[in-house]
């Protein structure tokens, strides 16, 4: 099995990023999400996984800004999306390595919450749960809207808005 290294994507990685997104998502809208987040200044982190020996790209994960409130105060939070691994490299831990690296970075950056929209059976493996996202005001609220607490607890107070970056609305319009 290939040894996976996860690193921050640099401008020179643009072609690889495009290749991964096109191979993983049938609709161009998902491939556009990363570009739109970057254009809007909402991309917090883009990580790319590579085969350590060959440096071939294997997958990527993006994190973007969210506006989240707890007890009327801003709660620093990010959205994880998209997460994508090239079909021929799936089921060998590449996504797990990407999610772990993203979580580690955001813990170090003192973020409180990481939100995802996706399959509970998959994201629950990494500690995300719908219960952690419950009560936040989001158009995505429901069983597929999940969160991970990054610092082992949250401030007291009622849960308020959990707003994704505007690029996500564009994604919805094209569905
Ligand atoms: C979903 C996806 C990112 C998984 O990547 P991967 O590298 O194969 O995942 P991993 O090998 O790291 O697997 C991590 C865990 O999830 C499980 N898993 C992997 N794919 C899964 C799937 N489609 N459904 C449920 N569980 C899955 C693995 O068995 C593993 O669990 P384990 O630790 O208990 O063995 C990949 O299939 C993909 O890119 N799909 C297309 C894009 C997509 O749907 N992205 C997610 C929404 S944005």
């Amino acid at each position: 099995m290939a040894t996976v290294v996860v690193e921050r994507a640099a401008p020179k990685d643009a072609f690889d990023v495009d290749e991964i997104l096109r191979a993983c998502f049938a609709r161009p809208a998902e491939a556009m999400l990363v570009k739109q987040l970057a254009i809007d200044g909402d991309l917090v982190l883009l990580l790319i996984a590579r085969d350590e020996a060959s440096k071939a790209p294997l997958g990527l994960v993006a994190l973007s800004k969210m506006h989240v409130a707890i007890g009327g105060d801003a709660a620093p939070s990010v959205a994880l999306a998209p997460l994508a691994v090239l079909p021929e490299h799936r089921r060998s831990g590449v996504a797990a390595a990407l999610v772990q690296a993203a979580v580690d970075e955001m813990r170090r950056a003192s973020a409180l919450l990481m939100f995802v929209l996706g399959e509970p059976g998959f994201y629950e493996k990494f500690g995300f749960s719908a219960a952690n996202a419950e009560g936040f005001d989001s158009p995505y609220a429901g069983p597929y809207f999940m969160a991970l607490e990054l610092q082992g607890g949250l401030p007291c107070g009622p849960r308020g808005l959990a707003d994704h970056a505007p690029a996500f609305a564009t994604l919805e319009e094209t569905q």
Side-chain angles (χ1 to χ4, degrees):
M1 198 177 83
T3 303
V4 180
V5 286
V6 176
E7 51 200 36
R8 279 171 181 254
K12 67 172 173 52
D13 298 318
F15 181 82
D16 290 340
V17 167
D18 230 44
E19 183 195 328
I20 295 165
L21 292 171
R22 282 175 201 283
C24 292
F25 297 105
R27 303 182 317 145
E30 268 96 357
M32 274 304 295
L33 176 63
V34 175
K35 281 186 193 139
Q36 197 59 53
L37 287 168
I39 289 165
D40 295 344
D42 288 327
L43 196 57
V44 172
L45 189 65
L46 180 59
L47 297 175
I48 186 160
R50 292 186 180 279
D51 178 310
E52 188 175 36
S54 69
K55 301 290 181 233
L58 307 174
L60 63 77
V61 66
L63 297 176
S64 54
K65 284 183 200 165
M66 285 186 71
H67 292 288
V68 175
I70 301 176
D73 293 323
S77 303
V78 291
L80 182 154
L83 171 65
V85 174
L86 286 171
E88 61 274 29
H89 296 292
R90 288 180 189 166
R91 300 283 180 163
S92 57
V94 177
L98 283 162
V99 173
Q100 191 56 56
V103 167
D104 289 348
E105 282 263 357
M106 288 301 105
R107 279 207 173 113
R108 280 197 293 272
S110 304
L112 287 179
L113 284 163
M114 186 179 287
F115 286 86
V116 286
L117 283 167
E119 283 300 324
F122 177 68
Y123 284 106
E124 280 166 2
K125 288 179 185 290
F126 307 113
F128 290 85
S129 77
N132 285 343
E134 210 176 314
F136 285 106
D137 182 7
S138 163
Y140 306 113
Y144 300 103
F145 184 52
M146 291 165 277
L148 176 70
E149 291 184 3
L150 294 167
Q151 309 295 340
L154 292 178
C156 294
R159 297 175 172 199
L161 276 179
D163 267 352
H164 280 74
F168 284 86
T170 321
L171 188 64
E172 276 229 316
E173 282 160 20
T174 58
Q175 272 183 347

